[in-house]
């Protein structure tokens, strides 16, 4: 998809192309007319041709490219003083023409500093988690008794935390995470429960990596030095993980999962999401498709400092701001309201609903997409579809992101803005603008 997508021409490039064509047509028309009049007056044809060539050379604005280049360079220098790296000169002018900004949520609108704050097990136990950062400072409190939980003092909570620790590729060193912040938050939770070393008791045999399409990750493991059957651990979006579950955990015992319980889990997931938490579901079992549901983990990712003020300034300036995220509706709406997106008047659309929009390439459908403030449960192909629809509606679109899943949209947008201090190297190569300070309100 990335290799097939193309970066569109900037408004300045389009204007220069249009000006060039107009100058060419007018110049050749006038020169041809002068040569024709001279020839009719009986003047020598070679002499008129020489005059025509001279007029053609004189009509070329030789100084225009120099003036435009110098002006754009001055703009690049001004942006550099604000710690914004502009990789292509014409983008400076495009920034002033932009009227729609599409932004990824995690790590762009939010700080991408994940902390687990809430746990809900499959058999109804609830716990809150204290402490912030990627360390073991803090405790897990069973509600409502406020009992401090460690290891497997509560079997249901322990198994939930164990799964989050095992189906994990992150490493925490010196209070910083190497890997995905979401997985770092799960490791920090395990450290608070004194279960951080439990991952070493398993030997990993297979990994099914996370993707934006499937929205879950799973690993196949076996206990070391024990002759037991293999076990799968899975984490991901609730609606995807629950499809693979036929049982639920009740104090270490697997019981049959009923439709009523699925509905109650879904209600709990929506309740956690509506408070702004990013919700992960966890499951384990001996076979994919017959897993045991373990519970939900609520992770807080607060809005980045200055984002609310920046959104307010943009909206007052007539720029439409749209949030595109892979999170659930409730989480996306909560964050959108928190940062003042569209003054709280939000219209949301899921990736599945976007797939069902007929004739997205036609103008009415493009205008319909223009009215949406939040796109949730989206994949990279959905982001590309949104960018293309907005461009067809006549908008100059900027895309801001920090992850590899934003790469296609960054390349296809009129302006691709990458967050410089975090994220992947791919988006820095593809984008044409790089924010070194990671704070929009400074620019």
């Amino acid at each position: 998809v990335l290799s097939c997508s193309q970066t569109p021409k900037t408004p300045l490039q389009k204007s220069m192309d249009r000006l060039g064509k107009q100058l060419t047509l007018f110049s050749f028309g006038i020169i041809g007319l002068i040569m024709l009049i001279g020839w009719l007056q009986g003047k020598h044809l070679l002499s008129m041709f020489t005059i025509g060539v001279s007029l053609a050379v004189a009509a070329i604005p030789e100084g225009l490219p120099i003036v435009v280049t110098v002006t754009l360079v001055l703009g690049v220098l001004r942006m550099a003083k604000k710690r914004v790296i502009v990789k292509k000169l014409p983008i400076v002018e495009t920034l002033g023409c932009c009227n729609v900004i599409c932004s990824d949520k995690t790590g762009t609108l939010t700080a991408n500093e994940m902390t687990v704050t809430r746990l809900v097990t499959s058999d109804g136990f609830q716990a809150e988690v204290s402490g912030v950062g990627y360390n073991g400072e803090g405790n897990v409190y069973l509600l409502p008794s406020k009992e401090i939980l460690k290891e497997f003092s509560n079997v249901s909570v322990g198994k939930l935390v164990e799964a989050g620790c095992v189906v994990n590729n992150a490493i925490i060193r010196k209070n910083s995470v190497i890997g995905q912040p979401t997985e770092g938050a799960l490791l920090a939770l395990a450290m608070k429960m004194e279960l951080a070393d439990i991952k070493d008791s398993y030997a990993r045999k297979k990994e099914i990596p996370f993707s934006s399409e499937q929205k879950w990750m799973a690993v196949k493991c076996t206990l070391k030095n024990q002759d037991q059957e293999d076990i799968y651990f899975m984490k991901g979006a609730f609606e995807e993980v629950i499809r693979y579950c036929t049982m639920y955990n009740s104090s270490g015992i697997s019981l049959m999962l009923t439709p009523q319980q699925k509905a109650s889990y879904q209600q709990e997931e929506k309740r956690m999401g509506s408070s702004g938490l990013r919700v992960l579901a966890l499951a384990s079992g001996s076979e994919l498709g017959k897993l045991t549901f373990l519970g939900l983990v609520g992770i807080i990712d607060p809005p980045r400092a200055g984002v609310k003020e920046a959104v307010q300034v943009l909206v007052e300036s007539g720029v439409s701001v749209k949030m595109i995220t892979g999170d659930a509706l409730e989480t996306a709406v909560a964050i959108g309201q928190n940062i003042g997106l569209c003054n709280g008047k939000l219209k949301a659309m899921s990736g599945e609903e976007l797939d069902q929009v007929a004739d997205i390439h036609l103008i009415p459908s493009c205008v319909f997409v223009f009215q949406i403030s939040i796109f949730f449960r989206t994949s990279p192909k959905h982001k590309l579809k949104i960018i293309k629809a907005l461009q067809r509606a006549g908008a100059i679109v900027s895309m801001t992101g920090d992850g590899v899943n934003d790469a296609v949209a960054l390349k296809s947008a009129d302006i691709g803005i990458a967050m410089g201090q975090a994220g992947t190297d791919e988006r820095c190569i593809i984008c044409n603008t790089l924010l070194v300070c990671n704070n929009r309100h400074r620019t």
Side-chain angles (χ1 to χ4, degrees):
V1 177
L2 185 60
S3 60
C4 295
S5 60
Q6 295 181 351
T7 303
K9 288 186 176 182
T10 67
L12 179 61
Q13 290 172 327
K14 293 177 182 177
S15 298
M16 294 291 287
D17 289 345
R18 188 164 53 250
L19 177 61
K21 291 178 181 178
Q22 291 173 351
L23 284 175
T24 301
L25 291 175
F26 285 128
S27 298
F28 278 106
I30 294 173
I31 292 168
L33 181 61
I34 291 173
M35 290 178 65
L36 179 61
I37 293 173
W39 179 70
L40 292 175
Q41 291 177 347
K43 294 183 179 180
H44 197 275
L45 185 59
L46 181 60
S47 176
M48 293 309 302
F49 178 76
T50 304
I51 293 173
V53 172
S54 301
L55 290 174
V57 173
I60 298 174
E62 297 91 346
L64 181 60
I66 298 174
V67 172
V68 171
T69 301
V70 171
T71 304
L72 294 177
V73 167
L74 292 175
V76 170
L77 293 176
R78 290 182 62 186
M79 297 296 290
K81 291 179 181 178
K82 297 183 181 239
R83 303 188 70 188
V84 179
I85 299 173
V86 179
K87 296 168 65 176
K88 296 181 180 179
L89 284 179
I91 295 301
V92 176
E93 187 266 347
T94 310
L95 284 168
C97 300
C98 177
N99 54 11
V100 177
I101 294 180
C102 297
S103 179
D104 179 45
K105 180 183 77 70
T106 305
T108 307
L109 295 176
T110 61
N112 205 20
E113 297 173 355
M114 308 286 188
T115 303
V116 176
T117 60
R118 192 85 173 177
L119 301 176
V120 177
T121 67
S122 55
D123 51 353
F125 288 105
Q126 298 196 19
E128 64 178 16
V129 185
S130 65
V132 296
Y134 301 110
N135 53 59
E137 297 178 4
N139 292 299
V140 178
Y141 299 95
L142 187 66
L143 297 177
S145 65
K146 291 289 185 178
E147 174 191 354
I148 297 177
L149 302 178
K150 297 292 182 182
E151 296 183 336
F152 288 94
S153 56
N154 182 290
V155 176
S156 299
V157 175
K159 290 183 76 65
L160 180 63
V161 174
E162 176 192 32
C165 183
V166 176
V167 60
N168 203 310
N169 289 324
I171 300 173
I172 293 179
R173 289 178 182 170
K174 298 180 180 179
N175 296 335
S176 62
V177 62
I178 302 173
Q180 293 296 324
T182 302
E183 295 186 336
L186 294 175
L187 283 184
L189 171 65
M191 293 168 68
K192 295 170 186 177
M193 286 277 291
E194 297 180 358
L195 288 172
D197 296 331
I198 199 166
K199 184 177 181 180
D200 297 332
S201 61
Y202 287 92
R204 183 178 296 189
K205 290 186 173 182
K206 180 182 177 182
E207 175 182 338
I208 304 174
F210 177 87
S211 72
S212 299
E213 287 73 27
Q214 67 184 24
K215 294 182 174 60
W216 56 265
M217 170 191 174
V219 294
K220 180 181 180 181
C221 303
T222 185
L223 282 167
K224 294 179 180 178
N225 303 322
Q226 294 189 29
D227 188 15
Q228 293 186 1
E229 64 179 1
D230 296 335
I231 182 170
Y232 283 93
F233 291 95
M234 177 185 287
K235 74 168 186 291
F238 167 76
E239 63 270 21
E240 300 298 330
V241 172
I242 199 69
R243 294 178 183 177
Y244 292 85
C245 298
T246 57
M247 312 287 283
Y248 76 96
N249 175 62
S250 178
S251 299
I253 300 173
S254 295
L255 302 177
M256 189 63 63
L257 186 63
T258 64
Q260 292 79 11
Q261 286 172 314
K262 288 184 180 180
S264 68
Y265 297 150
Q266 185 176 23
Q267 185 177 5
E268 183 63 35
E269 187 257 350
K270 289 183 177 180
R271 187 182 68 82
M272 294 171 70
S274 62
S275 61
L277 297 180
R278 190 177 193 183
V279 184
L280 287 180
L282 292 130
S284 64
S286 58
E287 183 180 346
L288 287 178
K290 296 182 180 180
L291 299 179
T292 299
F293 185 71
L294 299 176
L296 303 170
V297 176
I299 303 174
I300 189 171
D301 183 18
R304 191 181 293 276
V307 164
K308 186 173 183 178
E309 293 79 5
V311 170
Q312 183 178 358
V313 170
L314 289 169
V315 172
E316 291 175 354
S317 302
V319 179
S320 176
V321 182
K322 304 184 183 299
M323 181 169 69
I324 308 176
T325 178
D327 286 340
L329 170 63
E330 293 76 19
T331 305
V333 170
I335 295 296
Q337 291 175 340
N338 196 355
I339 64 176
L341 202 61
C342 294
N343 296 320
K345 300 176 182 178
L346 302 175
K347 291 185 179 180
M349 174 183 281
S350 69
E352 291 184 357
E353 291 172 337
L354 189 64
D355 287 332
Q356 295 171 2
V357 174
D359 299 324
I360 190 69
H361 301 293
L362 299 181
I363 295 299
S365 297
C366 295
V367 174
F368 174 71
V369 172
F370 200 99
Q371 298 171 349
I372 306 299
S373 303
I374 292 176
F375 297 90
F376 63 96
R377 288 298 189 219
T378 58
S379 65
K381 70 174 183 179
H382 293 133
K383 295 181 180 181
L384 177 61
K385 203 171 185 179
I386 294 165
I387 296 294
K388 293 296 184 183
L390 291 169
Q391 289 173 335
R392 291 188 184 94
I396 306 299
V397 186
S398 167
M399 176 67 197
T400 308
D402 70 331
V404 69
N405 60 329
D406 301 316
V408 177
L410 286 170
K411 185 176 180 181
S412 300
D414 296 285
I415 314 169
I417 303 175
M419 313 299 282
Q421 292 184 347
T424 60
D425 294 333
E426 289 86 351
R427 56 79 177 111
C428 290
I429 297 171
I430 292 165
C431 75
N432 40 44
T433 307
L434 187 64
L435 295 184
V436 179
C437 62
N438 272 12
N439 282 331
R440 290 179 166 191
H441 69 286
R442 293 184 181 179
T443 59

